[in-house]
Amino acid sequence: MSVENGAAKAEKAGRKAPEPKKSINLTTWILISLAAGIVVGIACSLWVPSDSPVTEYVINGAFYVLGQWFIRLMQMLVVPLVFCSIVCGAASMSDPKMLGKVGVGTIVLYLCTTALAVFIAIVLAQFTNPGIGLDMSAIVSVEPKATATDQTMADMLINIIPTNIIKAMNDGTMLQIIFFALILGFILGRLGKKVATVNRFFTQFNAVMMHMIGLVLKVAPVGIFCLIARTFSSLGIDGILAMGKFIFTVYLGLLVQLLVVYMLLLFLFTRLNPVQFLRKVLPVMLFAFSTSSSNATIPLNMETLEKKIGVDPKVASFTIPLGATINMDGTAIMQGAAVIFVAQAFGIELSFAALVTVVITAVTASIGTAGVPGVGTIMLAMVFESVGLPAEGVAMIMGIDRLLDMGRTAINVTGDAVVTTCMARATGMLDEGVFKNHDYEAVSEKDLVEFEEPAGYEDFTAHGDPTEIGEGGAPDKFADIEEPVVK
Ligand code: ASP
């Protein structure tokens, strides 16, 4: 049976096809729901008495139930998503061809800059105190887990290794899940085609999880509206001030990472002029800022490094796609600041061991975060879970996510560019003559228009849909394996 759409029917009947309706995208819906939630919440805090039926049936009734459903949907994703994405990330790193001269150094630099990024965010947030003055514990009561409060350093180290991975998944013990997933991923990467079926399973299951995130995000505007309205009906104006302070802390952290960490790293490794370097990568940063996607920025970043900075294509074509997959310093900064923000807002004291756990989980979250918009905030649920912070905090942050996502993606891709330049210099594959040429324009207009912003989580990678391995999707690395023969 053929299905004709309205436009085709209208054309057949000789009428002019109606203009396709412009639909509002998800990001706009989330922003609208955030703004509406704040307005409704503050209006309720000013004019609705706490013992009225509106408070009982709407704010603490419907809003509460819908908000909790949304939070549970997100929590439902955490363990399978984290497990799968870390297995896939680790498998891609252990490809023997990649781990040559450049590979190990690049991975070490990527992980170190990310750890430094979380550290900077945690320290800055201790000064700006974004969550002080907000009393979220009045709205949601949380039982702090042992990990958040009194676990000693020795306990934390011992508990990294699970005694039973099924129990770790059941309890949501993130460090143990990560530990197992990293080992599994590395082994899968090393065995490659010999375990093609298992490799394919994880790649495809990862893609299924990305679709599931897409589904949960479709209901996010409703969930966010309910959560924010209920939150702000208790917090009033203080809530807005705290959100502003949190955004300020994240952007301050991003600036420190860019101007201090990256510029020092660049200067120490390469002696190149940092100002000139920044001017050359500015179009890359702006492109990442406007698309919020490291994956979509891969071609422009590679071209810029090759044609303007002088990096050998052999280096950039390996380090940039790898960086877009495993190196997310901006995302880590948001996560570090978010931990302090939410811990302060809920009145939870974090022990030193808990802060170390945050650094480790944020670094591994960065390996597991896909370079598409918004995934960093979903992975935040894993960081929160590792130290027993409530998922309600993730929902609060999700409301302002796009604002943060733009800035953190710009830093994510700059981190990839800086580490790539350093590695190119260290391995003698940097042509300084190219760098000295003062041309600051974007590489070519084509690179800017060719890659569209991923429409949603369906476009899991810039190179194709991994659910369609080998057929217009990701190349099938395991295509020529021999099928096992069962005798
Ligand atoms: N949008 C980020 C990126 O593509 C990932 C994230 O933090 O959500 O790098």
Side-chain angles (χ1 to χ4, degrees), residues 263-336:
M263 294 305 105
L264 268 180
L265 195 66
L266 190 79
F267 186 71
L268 292 178
F269 264 81
T270 67
R271 306 277 152 186
L272 295 180
N273 180 337
V275 179
Q276 257 186 46
F277 180 88
L278 274 187
R279 285 184 70 178
K280 288 185 181 225
V281 296
L282 189 65
V284 181
M285 293 175 76
L286 291 178
F287 189 75
F289 188 83
S290 50
T291 59
S292 291
S293 169
S294 298
N295 277 2
T297 316
I298 290 174
L300 184 61
N301 206 357
M302 265 164 47
E303 287 284 298
T304 305
L305 285 166
E306 289 163 18
K307 306 231 168 88
K308 303 200 157 266
I309 311 277
V311 173
D312 189 304
K314 280 206 284 299
V315 178
S317 61
F318 162 58
T319 56
I320 293 299
L322 180 69
T325 317
I326 69 161
N327 185 42
M328 309 272 170
D329 299 348
T331 305
I333 286 174
M334 178 278 285
Q335 292 173 340

Side-chain angles (χ1 to χ4, degrees), residues 288 291-297 324 327-328 330-332 334-335 369-378 401 404-406 408-410 412-413 457:
T291 59
S292 291
S293 169
S294 298
N295 277 2
T297 316
N327 185 42
M328 309 272 170
T331 305
M334 178 278 285
Q335 292 173 340
T369 304
V372 293
V375 179
T377 311
I378 305 270
D401 190 49
L404 304 172
D405 202 359
M406 296 191 298
R408 68 179 186 243
T409 310
N412 289 346
V413 300
Y457 293 83

Side-chain angles (χ1 to χ4, degrees), residues 146-161:
T147 39
T149 48
D150 47 34
Q151 199 189 37
T152 64
M153 197 63 195
D155 288 339
M156 192 217 88
L157 291 175
I158 292 169
N159 286 334
I160 289 178
I161 301 182

Side-chain angles (χ1 to χ4, degrees), residues 72-228:
R72 279 171 169 261
L73 280 175
M74 279 196 320
Q75 286 173 320
M76 177 183 90
L77 290 178
V78 172
V79 171
L81 172 74
V82 166
F83 188 72
C84 232
S85 52
I86 291 179
V87 169
C88 293
S92 70
M93 280 199 290
S94 54
D95 187 338
K97 266 185 267 144
M98 287 180 172
L99 284 175
K101 200 155 66 158
V102 185
V104 177
T106 307
I107 292 170
V108 169
L109 270 186
Y110 277 160
L111 298 184
C112 290
T113 47
T114 311
L116 203 57
V118 199
F119 176 75
I120 289 173
I122 291 178
V123 172
L124 283 178
Q126 302 283 2
F127 286 105
T128 57
N129 288 325
I132 299 261
L134 259 190
D135 187 10
M136 289 293 289
S137 53
I139 307 160
V140 195
S141 61
V142 257
E143 284 288 317
K145 275 194 199 169
T147 39
T149 48
D150 47 34
Q151 199 189 37
T152 64
M153 197 63 195
D155 288 339
M156 192 217 88
L157 291 175
I158 292 169
N159 286 334
I160 289 178
I161 301 182
T163 50
N164 177 349
I165 185 62
I166 308 290
K167 181 169 185 298
M169 287 183 170
N170 185 30
D171 298 345
T173 320
M174 290 331 285
L175 277 186
Q176 299 188 350
I177 299 174
I178 291 167
F179 181 82
F180 188 82
L182 280 175
I183 296 184
L184 181 62
F186 272 116
I187 294 176
L188 288 183
R190 289 217 84 100
L191 294 181
K193 289 178 181 167
K194 287 189 208 137
V195 287
T197 314
V198 187
N199 265 317
R200 275 208 201 99
F201 167 79
F202 278 108
T203 318
Q204 296 188 342
F205 193 72
N206 202 20
V208 173
M209 291 314 298
M210 298 308 279
H211 278 265
M212 220 186 254
I213 294 181
L215 275 184
V216 172
L217 286 181
K218 284 214 170 91
V219 295
V222 179
I224 286 171
F225 171 80
C226 294
L227 285 165
I228 296 282

